[in-house]
Amino acid sequence: MKSVRIISALLLAAFYVCQAVPAAAVSPENLVHVHTGALSLVLEAEQGSPLRFMYFGDRLCDSDVQALPLSGSPLLDAYPAYGMNCPSEAALSVVHADGNMTAVLLVEGVSVEQEAEAVLTRVSLKDPVYPFEVDVCYRAWNDSEMIETWTEIRNMGKKPVHLTRFDSAFLPVRRGDVWISHLYGSWANEGIVACEPLKPGIKTIRNKDGVRNSHTAHAEVMISLDGRPEENSGDVIGAALCYSGNYELRFDTDDSEWHRFFAGINPDASEYVLEPKETFVTPAMALTYSREGLSGVSRNFHSWARNHMLAHGNQERKILLNSWEGVYFNITEQGMDDMMGDIASMGGELFVMDDGWFGDKYPRNVDNSSLGDWTVDADKLPGGISGLVEDAGKHGVGFGIWIEPEMTNTVSELYEQHPEWVLKPALREPVVGRGGTQLVLDLSNPEVQDFVFGVVDRLMTEHPEIEYVKWDANMAIMNHGSQYLPGNRQSHMYIEYHRGFASVCDRIRAKYPDLVIQACASGGGRANYGVLPWFDEFWVSDNTDALQRVYMQWGTSYFFPAIAMASHISAAPNHQTFRTIPLKYRIDVAMSGRLGMEIQPKNMTDEEKELCRKAIAEYKEIRPVVQFGDIYRLVSPYDGFNVASLMYCSQDKSHAVFYWWKLEHFCNEHLPRVKMAGLDPDRLYRVHELNRIDNTALPFEGQAFSGRYLMSTGLEIPYRHTVDYHKQNDWSSRVLYLVAE
Ligand code: GLA
């Protein structure tokens, strides 16, 4: 009995040794310190041992890095592989050609490479028995508080290895009062904030749409380490999986002291066969950390996005009118010309013709035909695109156009010619999408890639004046099946689709580096750092209702900067919610992102047009602050105070724009006074209201206040507008421009 107890005690000890090594055994020369200006990630990489995670968070000084092994923290596997004493979740699982389901990854070496704008640290791991290798990579940016991490999985053997899980990264998060904030939603309700404490068990955030990946959930998460998340205080980790396809983020909270966070491509229905000598590169997970709350993490994401992850992230965006909600499919030459004239007269800079312009044999009059037939409908547009481009020139605005190049309809010439180009399983009739006829093209097929590239290439070759493309994608992969991939590689379909997508986008960007491209996918289906490097911006949602946009844009701003968030003034009643919101409020919400219009100007009164003209002129003034500034979210619409408020401050704190939106109206209610943030306490800021509709100016109009006062006390915002009696309504919003003396 006694010996049984001793053996089980020994087994238990062995178990724990494999799980977490006491850190005191670490010798300093094996420490790997990956860092940016303000972040540190520390690993222990001892030759012949597993790679161990030691620390991620605030930048450590050298002596703290050296002392880390004595901090009492156990060492955890930095990239846990399944099979040998790995009862918890694994980041990697494989099946070798002989059926062996284990992987053991031991450190071979560490290399550090100076890149143009970052430092790349690569830790090479090798299985001692099988010819199988994994590089765990870390890119630390010089000018951004962001560390990207991913893996490169190599089969050095002579037979294929099956990958059944292939996460990009694993991050242990110390238990405590840890909360996560992430985004969920659906079409027309994107970017809704979910905030919850991490409890025992597994929390999974995933996507399996196949094409679009940010409607129902997002691949980004905030992890608040010290209790319920706050906007401007608290220690927060931010993580974003940069992948355009299906993903899975999971938090495993087991009986240990750690929440185990994994992020990677969703392995469901995606087992990957790694051929001999092939390397599988997982998408990067971007990691940041701030001691200034959720907004601090957002600022880190935003500046990294502008500097490295968005096309033209440091160029101002034009103010545009998009034709969709104005005319829908009723495109005519005269109609387009009128709209161009209207947006030009209001000070806008670009006109975008949306859906409905194409189709020869099958004209696109509703959403059930013609995708793939990217030739102008000559009945609607006898002068063709050349005529429109000319008109735009005449009005002094740029010209942009809508396409949905990854798709087709069963009613189209493309489908008649190439039924083998659509995704569908053998022997089965495909399930159809939008309009009862839509299908997704098979981007794993190089011929289809050429076709999709050709859609943009042909437009741009024939009409180099086109400045802007709205690239849409309105269908999920509803048919698991590639007619191009062989039968034994059907599980590669999702991954190959996105490789094809990436290759097409790379070709477009190589040939058309200056083109502005919007990522639209049934609204906000492609708000993701895997997509954005090829795109300038995304359409936040097909829902343009200003009130709902306050919530959606709030959540979306957790990870994405205002410059990327297309935000348009639309009609009242709103076409999605049928809510009637006064123009002033609609403008004030749209002006907090990349301002545009999505409306039929013909239906606007002169007074409304005048208000828009004024707003566009004022937006031009504040555009650098909104599009390049630092965000400080002040009062959340989710907190029940009946107000939402945020501000942007220029990097040098000389200019700021403050937004305040009331969410509901009740007589004599008590609204919070909003303290500002991000200003220089020692400078004086003169306050000027934008988009003013009130008969009398606010008491503080033109007055100067110190940043200290504005941040410790704030201004008293009246909850009604002082307008003529017949103009009164139950909405109220303010935009204040602050300029330092
Ligand atoms: C999608 C987009 C819309 C619009 C339509 C056109 O729904 O999200 O903005 O372009 O397609 O059909």
Side-chain angles (χ1 to χ4, degrees):
M1 187 63 194
K2 198 175 169 194
S3 62
V4 169
R5 232 182 272 138
I6 290 170
I7 289 169
S8 52
L10 285 173
L11 283 177
L12 208 64
F15 172 82
Y16 278 110
V17 166
C18 290
Q19 291 302 295
V21 175
V26 174
S27 63
E29 64 270 20
N30 293 327
L31 294 175
V32 177
H33 184 196
V34 176
H35 62 83
T36 64
L39 305 177
S40 283
L41 189 149
V42 185
L43 305 154
E44 193 244 357
E46 186 184 352
Q47 178 100 22
S49 296
L51 177 67
R52 309 288 193 182
F53 169 89
M54 296 188 78
Y55 173 88
F56 174 65
D58 232 5
R59 171 75 189 260
L60 300 179
C61 62
D62 287 347
S63 70
D64 276 343
V65 173
Q66 298 303 314
L68 258 189
L70 303 170
S71 68
S73 219
L75 290 170
L76 297 151
D77 218 329
Y79 191 65
Y82 178 76
M84 301 299 284
N85 204 354
C86 182
S88 297
E89 287 285 293
L92 176 76
S93 42
V94 307
V95 185
H96 293 287
D98 62 1
N100 190 322
M101 291 178 65
T102 66
V104 173
L105 301 172
L106 307 179
V107 173
E108 264 280 295
V110 180
S111 72
V112 179
E113 187 190 325
Q114 200 69 48
E115 297 182 333
E117 297 179 288
V119 176
L120 172 64
T121 304
R122 180 182 290 270
V123 185
S124 303
L125 311 176
K126 208 171 171 177
D127 193 303
V129 174
Y130 283 85
F132 185 78
E133 303 173 359
V134 174
D135 284 357
V136 185
C137 305
Y138 300 89
R139 173 174 290 121
W141 288 93
N142 297 341
D143 64 355
S144 304
E145 302 311 334
M146 198 64 69
I147 296 174
E148 289 177 55
T149 172
W150 70 95
T151 53
E152 299 183 5
I153 305 166
R154 250 187 326 276
N155 175 9
M156 299 306 286
K158 293 196 168 59
K159 294 197 174 138
V161 175
H162 289 239
L163 306 179
T164 51
R165 181 173 281 292
F166 29 83
D167 280 329
S168 298
F170 164 64
L171 181 75
V173 178
R174 179 67 167 77
R175 275 177 89 147
D177 193 6
V178 176
W179 290 58
I180 58 169
S181 309
H182 56 103
L183 308 179
Y184 74 99
S186 56
W187 174 81
N189 192 24
E190 293 91 337
I192 300 307
V193 176
C195 169
E196 53 192 298
L198 279 180
K199 298 277 188 205
I202 294 191
K203 166 77 192 174
T204 306
I205 297 168
R206 66 197 279 279
N207 168 275
K208 235 183 94 183
D209 180 284
V211 174
R212 308 156 301 179
N213 69 5
S214 55
H215 272 135
T216 51
H218 265 250
E220 305 87 33
V221 63
M222 301 262 196
I223 309 166
S224 297
L225 305 182
D226 44 12
R228 187 179 275 278
E230 298 286 342
E231 279 297 345
N232 293 301
S233 62
D235 298 352
V236 185
I237 293 172
L241 186 77
C242 309
Y243 186 54
S244 58
N246 297 344
Y247 55 79
E248 188 179 84
L249 313 185
R250 40 198 216 292
F251 290 89
D252 180 17
T253 303
D254 59 13
D255 58 336
S256 72
E257 290 304 312
W258 302 89
H259 302 285
R260 296 163 197 268
F261 173 52
F262 299 84
I265 294 178
N266 188 341
D268 199 9
S270 288
E271 181 172 306
Y272 192 86
V273 185
L274 192 64
E275 300 291 349
K277 305 289 174 293
E278 186 184 350
T279 301
F280 184 91
V281 180
T282 62
M285 177 171 80
L287 273 177
T288 188
Y289 171 84
S290 170
R291 306 206 67 194
E292 295 176 18
L294 302 171
S295 282
V297 164
S298 299
R299 289 191 289 279
N300 290 353
F301 271 114
H302 295 184
S303 69
W304 173 66
R306 283 190 300 262
N307 291 338
H308 305 291
M309 295 302 280
L310 274 184
H312 316 119
N314 292 311
Q315 282 173 30
E316 284 188 7
R317 303 309 199 233
K318 289 193 170 175
I319 298 160
L320 61 84
L321 170 66
N322 178 295
S323 68
W324 180 240
E325 287 194 21
V327 299
Y328 292 102
F329 293 99
N330 301 322
I331 302 276
T332 62
E333 211 159 72
Q334 187 58 48
M336 297 299 96
D337 184 66
D338 290 346
M339 287 181 117
M340 290 182 209
D342 283 325
I343 187 62
S345 75
M346 285 186 269
E349 300 153 323
L350 181 75
F351 172 74
V352 182
M353 176 172 67
D354 210 284
D355 199 351
W357 61 267
F358 53 93
D360 180 18
K361 180 170 170 190
Y362 302 105
R364 173 92 165 167
N365 294 323
V366 282
D367 63 2
N368 65 5
S369 72
S370 329
L371 295 174
D373 302 348
W374 301 106
T375 41
V376 160
D377 178 340
D379 288 337
K380 291 179 186 171
L381 300 169
I385 293 173
S386 308
L388 296 172
V389 167
E390 234 171 77
D391 278 352
K394 191 180 73 197
H395 292 293
V397 292
F399 180 75
I401 195 164
W402 179 96
I403 50 173
E404 195 182 352
E406 296 156 83
M407 306 285 163
T408 190
N409 294 103
T410 51
V411 183
S412 71
E413 292 184 68
L414 181 72
Y415 186 67
E416 284 170 355
Q417 287 153 17
H418 290 292
E420 78 284 8
W421 277 7
V422 303
L423 285 174
K424 78 165 207 68
L427 308 177
R428 298 190 192 280
E429 278 307 304
V431 175
V432 281
R434 188 182 184 196
T437 56
Q438 189 157 338
L439 290 168
V440 182
L441 294 175
D442 184 356
L443 271 175
S444 72
N445 183 340
E447 280 183 33
V448 175
Q449 293 169 22
D450 287 346
F451 170 79
V452 175
F453 169 74
V455 174
V456 175
D457 193 35
R458 198 157 54 87
L459 273 174
M460 294 306 297
T461 312
E462 288 170 11
H463 312 286
E465 305 85 352
I466 293 176
E467 278 184 30
Y468 178 107
V469 162
K470 174 173 173 179
W471 178 306
D472 213 336
N474 288 313
M475 190 182 167
I477 294 182
M478 291 157 80
N479 300 282
H480 192 132
S482 161
Q483 301 187 73
Y484 173 76
L485 295 171
N488 60 0
R489 293 295 181 271
Q490 290 295 308
S491 64
H492 289 204
M493 178 200 66
Y494 287 118
I495 291 170
E496 290 301 344
Y497 184 90
H498 286 278
R499 286 181 174 166
F501 176 67
S503 146
V504 169
C505 291
D506 281 344
R507 285 168 71 185
I508 291 170
R509 275 303 175 204
K511 191 156 177 198
Y512 303 105
D514 298 331
L515 182 64
V516 176
I517 315 182
Q518 180 187 74
C520 176
S522 314
R526 274 183 169 166
N528 174 285
Y529 280 113
V531 182
L532 284 180
W534 299 291
F535 294 83
D536 297 66
E537 60 174 33
F538 55 86
W539 183 221
V540 175
S541 176
D542 272 349
N543 185 344
T544 56
D545 175 274
L547 180 63
Q548 206 168 339
R549 278 280 181 137
V550 168
Y551 291 85
M552 293 190 285
Q553 294 181 185
W554 187 271
T556 307
S557 81
Y558 273 30
F559 303 99
F560 304 100
I563 192 172
M565 289 163 53
S567 183
H568 296 178
I569 301 164
S570 64
N574 176 266
H575 292 190
Q576 295 78 41
T577 61
F578 304 99
R579 200 187 334 260
T580 297
I581 298 181
L583 183 58
K584 153 81 177 154
Y585 195 96
R586 284 179 270 147
I587 291 174
D588 285 359
V589 173
M591 242 175 143
S592 66
R594 195 283 280 134
L595 176 67
M597 299 187 76
E598 182 111 4
I599 196 166
Q600 173 52 277
K602 221 168 32 193
N603 300 336
M604 294 166 74
T605 63
D606 287 347
E607 195 182 348
E608 285 173 330
K609 281 187 182 158
E610 185 48 36
L611 199 55
C612 287
R613 191 172 300 124
K614 196 162 154 264
I616 287 174
E618 295 189 323
Y619 185 78
K620 285 178 183 167
E621 246 187 273
I622 61 168
R623 176 157 51 186
V625 187
V626 177
Q627 298 192 353
F628 308 130
D630 283 330
I631 194 169
Y632 290 83
R633 285 181 302 266
L634 305 170
V635 180
S636 168
Y638 291 92
D639 282 351
F641 295 120
N642 212 359
V643 161
S645 180
L646 59 78
M647 62 194 290
Y648 301 106
C649 300
S650 64
Q651 312 278 322
D652 65 359
K653 299 189 183 294
S654 63
H655 294 76
V657 188
F658 169 89
Y659 296 85
W660 182 96
W661 304 283
K662 197 145 79 68
L663 304 174
E664 272 189 280
H665 183 67
F666 297 104
C667 270
N668 291 327
E669 64 182 319
H670 300 286
L671 296 178
R673 190 190 264 183
V674 183
K675 294 178 185 175
M676 297 189 186
L679 302 171
D680 181 340
D682 298 323
R683 288 176 91 171
L684 286 180
Y685 292 88
R686 204 162 286 285
V687 181
H688 169 54
E689 187 187 6
L690 304 181
N691 302 337
R692 176 178 147 191
I693 55 164
D694 294 44
N695 294 336
T696 47
L698 292 166
F700 42 76
E701 173 66 35
Q703 300 302 310
F705 300 86
S706 71
R708 179 169 283 105
Y709 177 81
L710 294 169
M711 294 194 290
S712 66
T713 308
L715 299 171
E716 201 66 70
I717 311 285
Y719 63 78
R720 298 202 82 137
H721 290 283
T722 53
V723 291
D724 295 347
Y725 186 78
H726 73 279
K727 287 190 176 167
Q728 285 189 356
N729 60 59
D730 54 343
W731 294 86
S732 177
S733 58
R734 303 281 170 175
V735 183
L736 306 179
Y737 188 29
L738 280 65
V739 180
E741 300 277 90

